[in-house]
Amino acid sequence: MRYKKPDTKNAISIIESAKKTMDYTLTLEVNEMSSITITRNIYECFRMLGDAILVKKGLSSDDHLLPLKEISQLKIDSQRPIALVENLRRLRHNVNYYGYSPSIAEAGDAVSLAKECFYNAYEKIKQELQ
């Protein structure tokens, strides 16, 4: 972990980019061809929310663990725990480094988690940044 100057403007830019990417990703049809892209994008959008929190605090992380820790600590109202993003991290790791292809069910689960948690987390972080 490295310390740097807190940057609210950059943090807002990061969460807006994450939202834009998530909005697009959720328009994709879940099928065998799209499952990799959907899974990666959803994970990256959640990670970006965590990065925005760190940027606001003036912190930088060398890996994805700290941003996910920040996300998992959010108190949001949802039916599914936001900490399940950790499962997406493992899935994305397998996709990127071992050539794993997520099943339609796994991609559907990622979509479900995104719909349940992402926008709530986005709104909470956005409020904290303003």
Side-chain angles (χ1 to χ4, degrees), residues 1-129:
M1 179 172 45
R2 293 172 295 200
Y3 294 95
K4 59 184 189 177
K5 182 180 176 189
D7 190 345
T8 302
K9 186 177 177 182
N10 187 23
I12 291 170
S13 178
I14 291 169
I15 67 165
E16 293 304 326
S17 178
K19 182 182 180 296
K20 186 176 180 180
T21 301
M22 184 64 79
D23 289 345
Y24 168 72
T25 301
L26 294 179
T27 68
L28 299 175
E29 177 186 342
V30 177
N31 59 45
E32 289 180 22
M33 295 296 293
S34 67
S35 66
I36 292 173
T37 300
I38 289 170
T39 303
R40 277 184 185 151
N41 284 5
I42 290 173
Y43 169 75
E44 289 300 326
C45 290
F46 276 109
R47 184 197 54 77
M48 289 171 73
L49 293 181
D51 280 345
I53 295 168
L54 293 175
V55 167
K56 169 67 172 148
K57 292 180 176 181
L59 301 172
S60 177
S61 177
D62 293 329
D63 59 27
H64 293 191
L65 298 177
L66 192 55
L68 291 188
K69 182 179 177 187
E70 293 293 328
I71 288 293
S72 68
Q73 293 174 352
L74 291 174
K75 305 292 186 224
I76 61 169
D77 183 31
S78 68
Q79 297 294 317
R80 299 179 71 187
I82 196 163
L84 290 175
V85 173
E86 176 61 26
N87 294 344
L88 282 180
R89 183 187 71 80
R90 287 188 207 107
L91 184 59
R92 192 234 20 134
H93 182 84
N94 288 338
V95 167
N96 283 359
Y97 300 106
Y98 300 110
Y100 181 74
S101 185
S103 68
I104 292 173
E106 288 169 320
D109 186 57
V111 168
S112 172
L113 182 63
K115 287 180 178 178
E116 184 65 36
C117 297
F118 179 82
Y119 293 101
N120 291 339
Y122 164 82
E123 289 297 332
K124 181 153 186 87
I125 295 166
K126 186 174 180 178
Q127 287 174 356
E128 292 175 7
L129 293 175

